[in-house]
Amino acid sequence: MTTARRDTYTPETLLSVAVQVFNERGYDGTSMEHLSKAAGISKSSIYHHVTGKEELLRRAVSRALDGLFGILDEPGANRGRAIERVEHVTRRTVAVLMDELPYVTLLLRVRGNTRTERWALERRREFDHRVADLLKAAAADGDLRTDVDIRLATRLLFGMVNSLVEWYRPLPGGAGDREQVVDTVVRLAFDGLRTGH
Amino acid sequence: MTTARRDTYTPETLLSVAVQVFNERGYDGTSMEHLSKAAGISKSSIYHHVTGKEELLRRAVSRALDGLFGILDEPGANRGRAIERVEHVTRRTVAVLMDELPYVTLLLRVRGNTRTERWALERRREFDHRVADLLKAAAADGDLRTDVDIRLATRLLFGMVNSLVEWYRPLPGGAGDREQVVDTVVRLAFDGLRTGH
């Protein structure tokens, strides 16, 4: 863990350190002492920026949620056939997940012990419902196979997408397999692995 | 959490209680004290059965791993075209995951801080490699689409399958949507959500 110098500290870098510590130790297992040590600044300096660790959690999961809900306002999520819109949302969800990896990781690990966590879980469910609605619309258009339950399919789709937080790591150069991951998720989810259809 | 009576205690029920506590508190966060309280028996009674919590972890993840590796010895995993074998393994992996839900949940959450955890991670990787090999064989047969990277596809497939531990809960009656979940995973993974191909 890097130790930042006090004079270069901003709320943004504090947030980034906090998210790293939350992901390593779990939110419940993180104390202000841990945050202070990881950030290399005193607890009172942290309290200068935020009211406590719950505020840091709220800011961190808000960043992830803003990224995700932002997708639903994009033209690609609102124009064209439902199947194209759901494909756009899937593609962009994978991209946001990779762009905001530590923030989305934290969001997906939230457990519901505090008010902020329960709010985050509620917002996550809301996002899932919005995507499930798109899938339902695609089914009504006749563009989805009729032998799968949409709710179950939504869960499996998110299961696949969200699994990225467990194994995806950006390449050292910053370039790389990003587009490949996005394309593979969309191909697998919508057309499957099997050839010849 | 149920409190079992001392005179009805068996290594099997102790294991089942331990897995529940490990999944709730995390393995690192569980002490022999926690296990003793949850099981309703003294620590010395637990030590009568096992050398400590790491032995309970080893037994628990072994049960999950035995279930998973057992699949690879089944006729369906060894006969026929590779694509049929990989489909069999996927179908059976989902079934084992549902049958052994707490044990597989624990296996998937193992972090690698102890020798037993590192061994479990190694065995998981071995299982993943065996499935990736089957997928490669299916690709060599021309039965898998050529525009996805097999390693990436394997990860996404397992991501989807393993996500079940996060949301699948058996129905109260014990009957239920089990077959539907298995079928949906296979349909989604191999043929995708989209209709009309």
Side-chain angles (χ1 to χ4, degrees), chain A residues 156, chain B residues 90 94 160-161 164 181-190:
Chain A
L156 289 167
Chain B
T90 304
V94 176
M160 181 166 72
V161 169
L164 265 79
V181 174
V182 172
D183 287 343
T184 306
V185 170
V186 170
R187 281 173 193 151
L188 211 161
F190 293 95

Side-chain angles (χ1 to χ4, degrees), chain A residues 31-169:
Chain A
S31 65
M32 287 300 278
E33 189 68 36
H34 293 132
L35 292 176
S36 157
K37 271 194 186 149
I41 57 173
S42 66
K43 279 196 268 182
S44 64
S45 297
I46 297 180
Y47 284 118
H48 176 73
H49 292 297
V50 291
T51 55
K53 71 168 186 164
E54 195 166 346
E55 184 179 338
L56 286 165
L57 178 71
R58 189 182 52 73
R59 286 195 192 178
V61 296
S62 292
R63 179 159 155 172
L65 287 163
D66 288 350
L68 292 172
F69 277 93
I71 296 167
L72 302 177
D73 294 328
E74 292 171 358
N78 294 284
R79 287 185 209 146
R81 282 181 87 84
I83 184 78
E84 304 303 328
R85 286 185 275 146
V86 75
E87 197 177 307
H88 173 86
V89 170
T90 303
R91 184 175 290 278
R92 291 283 299 128
T93 300
V94 176
V96 166
L97 198 148
M98 291 189 287
D99 289 342
E100 305 287 356
L101 195 61
Y103 299 90
V104 181
T105 302
L106 183 64
L107 175 67
L108 295 177
R109 290 186 184 164
V110 146
R111 303 183 64 161
N113 293 328
T114 61
R115 199 177 165 141
T116 299
E117 287 174 279
R118 286 188 293 275
W119 166 78
L121 285 174
E122 190 46 52
R123 293 283 287 160
R124 256 189 73 189
R125 268 193 289 271
E126 202 181 316
F127 184 78
D128 292 5
H129 284 152
R130 296 279 299 271
V131 181
D133 285 346
L134 272 181
L135 278 163
K136 271 178 217 149
D141 287 347
D143 288 333
L144 285 197
R145 53 191 307 157
T146 51
D147 58 357
V148 303
D149 175 74
I150 297 299
R151 229 174 110 230
L152 190 51
T154 309
R155 280 175 165 171
L156 289 167
L157 177 62
F158 277 112
M160 182 165 73
V161 168
N162 293 344
S163 77
L164 265 80
V165 306
E166 303 301 332
W167 55 263
Y168 175 77
R169 295 298 169 265

Side-chain angles (χ1 to χ4, degrees), chain A residues 24 87 111 142-145 147 149 152 156 159-160 163 167 180 184 187-195, chain B residues 24 87 111 142-145 147 149 152 159-160 163 167 180 184 187-195:
Chain A
E24 278 170 17
E87 197 177 307
R111 303 183 64 161
D143 288 333
L144 285 197
R145 53 191 307 157
D147 58 357
D149 175 74
L152 190 51
L156 289 167
M160 182 165 73
S163 77
W167 55 263
Q180 197 198 3
T184 305
R187 281 173 193 152
L188 212 161
F190 293 95
D191 298 313
L193 282 171
R194 206 192 311 266
T195 190
Chain B
E24 278 170 18
E87 198 178 306
R111 304 184 63 160
D143 290 332
L144 286 197
R145 55 193 303 157
D147 58 357
D149 175 74
L152 190 51
M160 181 166 72
S163 76
W167 55 264
Q180 196 199 5
T184 306
R187 281 173 193 151
L188 211 161
F190 293 95
D191 299 313
L193 282 171
R194 205 190 314 263
T195 191

Side-chain angles (χ1 to χ4, degrees), chain B residues 109-126:
Chain B
R109 289 186 185 165
V110 146
R111 304 184 63 160
N113 292 328
T114 61
R115 199 173 166 148
T116 298
E117 287 173 279
R118 286 189 292 275
W119 165 80
L121 285 174
E122 190 47 52
R123 294 283 285 161
R124 257 189 72 187
R125 267 194 289 272
E126 203 181 314

Side-chain angles (χ1 to χ4, degrees), chain B residues 35-172:
Chain B
L35 293 177
S36 157
K37 271 194 188 149
I41 56 174
S42 67
K43 277 197 267 183
S44 65
S45 297
I46 297 181
Y47 283 119
H48 176 72
H49 291 298
V50 291
T51 56
K53 72 167 186 165
E54 195 167 346
E55 186 179 337
L56 286 165
L57 178 70
R58 188 182 53 72
R59 287 195 192 179
V61 295
S62 291
R63 178 161 157 170
L65 287 164
D66 288 351
L68 292 172
F69 277 93
I71 296 167
L72 302 176
D73 294 330
E74 292 172 356
N78 293 283
R79 287 186 207 146
R81 282 180 87 86
I83 184 78
E84 302 304 327
R85 285 184 277 145
V86 75
E87 198 178 306
H88 172 86
V89 169
T90 304
R91 185 173 288 279
R92 291 282 300 127
T93 299
V94 176
V96 165
L97 198 148
M98 290 190 286
D99 288 343
E100 305 286 356
L101 194 62
Y103 298 90
V104 180
T105 302
L106 182 64
L107 176 67
L108 295 177
R109 289 186 185 165
V110 146
R111 304 184 63 160
N113 292 328
T114 61
R115 199 173 166 148
T116 298
E117 287 173 279
R118 286 189 292 275
W119 165 80
L121 285 174
E122 190 47 52
R123 294 283 285 161
R124 257 189 72 187
R125 267 194 289 272
E126 203 181 314
F127 184 78
D128 292 3
H129 284 152
R130 296 281 297 274
V131 180
D133 286 345
L134 272 181
L135 279 163
K136 271 178 216 149
D141 287 346
D143 290 332
L144 286 197
R145 55 193 303 157
T146 53
D147 58 357
V148 303
D149 175 74
I150 297 297
R151 229 174 110 231
L152 190 51
T154 309
R155 280 175 165 169
L156 290 168
L157 177 61
F158 278 112
M160 181 166 72
V161 169
N162 293 343
S163 76
L164 265 79
V165 307
E166 304 300 333
W167 55 264
Y168 175 76
R169 294 298 170 262
L171 293 182

